[in-house]
Amino acid sequence: MIDQVTRVLVEAAEIAIRPRFRRLTTDQIEEKAPNDLVTVADLEAERLISRGLLRILDIPVVGEEATAADPALLSALGERECWLVDPIDGTSNFVSGRQEYAVMVALLRKGAPVAGWILLPESGQVYAGEQGSGAFRDGARIRQLTPPAAVEQMRGAAPTKRLNRQQRAELSKAGALFASLGPGASSAGVNYTQMLDGHLDFVLYQRSMPWDHAAGALLLAEVSGVSVRPDGAPYRIAKRQTGLLLNAANRACCQAVQTTLWA
């Protein structure tokens, strides 16, 4: 199944996404919500990916763009099995001509991810894995992550798009406690690959939409990483929670970040 889904994502990217990269016209871009863009590439890619996934396994498909039009589709997350699709994660980057965007798919069973895929179309890299079988980059197993033991050596990211001025000031102050704490890539998929590649030790998110995190959280867990809420409760894809989500390279890193930020 890993290779089958990978082929679906690569084909959709080559047909619907990459030919439009840095070639979008203004009439091909819309704002589906304030500061939340969607393009013809998002819509066509989601249709292609959904059709391809249904040929592999005929179960409900919950796509980000389809859900924007019909929020009732989210109810499928709690069903026995479903696909979860983010056709372009980092649409604002895509629109701006920046390469930091991703295509993501996860297979959920009873609300929990059991397989995940992240494709970086501009580099062609594919990160994929199944629960209990490890995570792989272009077919090569990714080793367990080993972040620094000292907080002041840890590198983190925290997107600031949805923060107010006071929250940004507080985050900037907190950043001095780590080796670095930047805004990240404006794409959850890219941020997850940065963690899987060992370039980031933790990432903080202000919101946790299921299509943004299901694939990445699964892959991260396969290499010893954790995804938790500020109180330490594990992140649950199917639970409609808001607020901070912390991804960390391992349990010790997670606890160190929690203690530093929320002691």
Side-chain angles (χ1 to χ4, degrees):
M1 180 184 291
I2 291 291
D3 290 342
Q4 288 177 293
V5 174
T6 297
R7 285 194 291 271
V8 167
L9 300 189
V10 171
E11 182 177 329
E14 291 302 316
I15 292 173
I17 300 173
R18 296 198 68 236
R20 294 184 169 106
F21 184 55
R22 295 176 178 164
R23 296 182 179 88
L24 286 170
T25 57
T26 54
D27 63 318
Q28 295 176 321
I29 307 166
E30 296 181 7
E31 195 175 53
K32 60 184 178 183
N35 298 316
D36 198 356
L37 301 176
V38 63
T39 73
V40 293
D42 295 78
L43 298 170
E44 184 180 356
E46 184 167 299
R47 287 193 293 268
L48 290 172
I49 292 169
S50 298
R51 286 202 294 266
L53 294 177
L54 287 171
R55 289 194 293 269
I56 297 169
L57 191 59
D58 190 4
I59 57 177
V61 177
V62 180
E64 177 182 5
E65 307 312 334
T67 302
D70 182 8
L73 292 174
L74 283 171
S75 63
L77 295 182
E79 293 185 8
R80 183 175 180 274
E81 286 187 314
C82 75
W83 294 109
L84 191 57
V85 179
D86 192 341
I88 300 180
D89 179 69
T91 300
S92 62
N93 288 344
F94 180 74
V95 169
S96 299
R98 298 193 296 272
Q99 297 186 8
E100 294 81 12
Y101 68 93
V103 180
M104 298 194 287
V105 163
L107 174 62
L108 271 59
R109 291 195 182 122
K110 296 181 179 179
V114 295
W117 294 258
I118 301 176
L119 166 67
L120 303 181
E122 296 307 315
S123 70
Q125 287 183 300
V126 178
Y127 298 72
E130 294 182 81
Q131 187 178 51
S133 299
F136 298 81
R137 181 195 306 107
D138 296 334
R141 182 181 289 272
I142 302 173
R143 296 181 179 181
Q144 287 198 345
L145 303 174
T146 53
V151 167
E152 57 269 21
Q153 295 177 327
M154 292 180 182
R155 299 155 299 172
T160 58
K161 179 180 178 181
R162 302 178 189 282
L163 301 183
N164 58 38
R165 182 177 298 179
Q166 180 180 344
Q167 290 171 324
R168 293 185 186 194
E170 292 171 352
L171 190 62
S172 177
K173 184 178 179 180
L177 303 173
F178 302 97
S180 63
L181 184 59
S186 297
S187 163
V190 173
N191 286 336
Y192 277 108
T193 65
Q194 288 287 295
M195 292 192 67
L196 293 167
D197 290 345
H199 302 312
L200 288 173
D201 302 308
F202 68 93
V203 184
L204 288 164
Y205 292 99
Q206 292 298 313
R207 69 171 188 170
S208 48
M209 303 305 291
W211 40 77
D212 289 336
H213 299 285
L218 180 280
L219 295 173
L220 189 62
E222 289 300 303
V223 290
S224 77
V226 294
S227 300
V228 301
R229 297 294 182 182
D231 62 0
Y235 173 52
R236 302 299 184 194
I237 304 298
K239 292 187 72 173
R240 300 182 191 180
Q241 297 172 302
T242 58
L244 281 171
L245 169 65
L246 168 63
N247 298 134
N250 63 19
R251 181 68 59 183
C253 176
C254 177
Q255 291 174 341
V257 173
Q258 286 177 297
T259 300
T260 302
L261 293 178
W262 302 309

